[in-house]
Amino acid sequence: MTEPNKKCRLVVLISGRGSNMQSIVETIKNKQLHAEVVAVIANKAEAKGIQWAQEQGIATQVLEHKQFADRSSFDARLAQIVQQYQPDYVLLAGFMRILTPEFVQQFTGRLINIHPSLLPLFPGLNTHQQAIDAELQWHGCTVHFVTPVLDHGPIIAQGIVPVHHDDDADTLAHRLLTIEHRVFNQVVEWLAQDRVQLLETGRVQVLDTSHRAFVA
Ligand code: GRF
């Protein structure tokens, strides 16, 4: 996807805290990955991650979905803004908005999401409570290519953590976050190395790796 010697350009979309985005920015810096977060965009002015990104000198934008009459006009403007940064990949890192098929199709093969469950289990919200209620002993996260179907798309990597008998949704979410960062960072490293391929069959291939599973 990226030309040799050209840094892999990443635009990151967030809605809140932005800890996944922060760990990606720090990993790129510490591991000197051939990638750059060229912009962080939030759909909420109060998204904490925006301030952090600004402090790092990263371009930021807030596009409040509340200001738009409907989902498609918000998505059309968001797509315009994202395109201005000419990203190789757009990362959804805690971006809590359902994107329209029109948006998703503009970025086919370049739009990547992290979801806090072992997909195809528990698409949507409240994944931690659902894992507890189902008495699962393992919970996980999935980094996947985005398709027009919510939380459903070719899986790039997954990570798992144990569920403890006294967990509530918060303690489980907290434990999972560490592995979320690890899995997303690993995927970014693969992207920077141009090793992630979305095949015509709809399956994912990552060159030169034997596993795409991570355990806390
Ligand atoms: C993460 O758990 C992510 O999987 C989910 O929202 C949370 C965002 O956390 N989609 P953060 O904003 O990256 O800290």
Side-chain angles (χ1 to χ4, degrees):
M1 169 94 37
T2 50
E3 294 161 28
N5 300 323
K6 181 180 167 279
K7 278 192 179 172
C8 178
R9 295 172 66 81
L10 305 171
V11 167
V12 185
L13 306 190
I14 64 169
S15 294
R17 181 177 55 186
S19 73
N20 275 285
M21 175 273 295
Q22 291 186 28
S23 83
I24 287 167
V25 169
E26 275 160 1
T27 298
I28 288 172
K29 194 161 87 184
N30 296 338
K31 293 183 107 177
Q32 299 186 319
L33 298 182
H34 214 55
E36 185 181 2
V37 173
V38 291
V40 176
I41 302 170
N43 65 316
K44 290 181 180 177
E46 64 273 20
K48 289 225 165 57
I50 281 289
Q51 198 191 332
W52 184 88
Q54 273 165 1
E55 287 162 9
Q56 310 305 306
I58 299 169
T60 60
Q61 295 229 14
V62 174
L63 186 70
E64 293 208 272
H65 63 269
K66 289 185 290 194
Q67 311 281 347
F68 289 79
D70 53 35
R71 194 175 288 280
S72 56
S73 53
F74 170 76
D75 278 16
R77 181 70 191 120
L78 180 64
Q80 268 179 353
I81 293 174
V82 171
Q83 296 283 22
Q84 282 167 10
Y85 292 99
Q86 301 182 309
D88 294 298
Y89 293 98
V90 180
L91 308 181
L92 306 180
F95 186 67
M96 307 304 282
R97 289 279 302 169
I98 296 174
L99 293 163
T100 53
E102 290 70 28
F103 184 99
V104 172
Q105 275 148 13
Q106 277 196 53
F107 297 98
T108 300
R110 297 192 290 144
L111 190 56
I112 293 172
N113 181 44
I114 185 158
H115 182 73
S117 81
L118 278 179
L119 292 174
L121 281 178
F122 314 139
L125 298 173
N126 302 321
T127 58
H128 314 300
Q129 192 59 50
Q130 290 192 71
I132 291 168
D133 291 347
E135 296 191 60
L136 292 192
Q137 302 303 305
W138 293 98
H139 185 37
C141 65
T142 303
V143 174
H144 66 99
F145 283 105
V146 176
T147 62
V149 183
L150 179 69
D151 296 331
H152 182 281
I155 290 173
I156 305 172
Q158 290 186 312
I160 56 169
V161 293
V163 180
H164 294 177
H165 70 95
D166 55 354
D167 266 334
D168 59 25
D170 289 340
T171 58
L172 186 52
H174 181 73
R175 187 172 315 115
L176 185 64
L177 198 61
T178 311
I179 195 103
E180 284 191 38
H181 294 172
R182 209 169 120 209
V183 174
F184 218 165
N185 283 324
Q186 177 61 75
V187 170
V188 167
E189 187 168 345
W190 288 335
L191 294 173
Q193 296 165 344
D194 216 5
R195 287 165 59 190
V196 182
Q197 298 181 340
L198 179 56
L199 307 177
E200 276 179 18
T201 55
R203 298 179 81 94
V204 173
Q205 184 176 324
V206 178
L207 301 177
D208 303 322
T209 192
S210 58
H211 71 280
R212 296 185 267 142
F214 298 85
V215 185

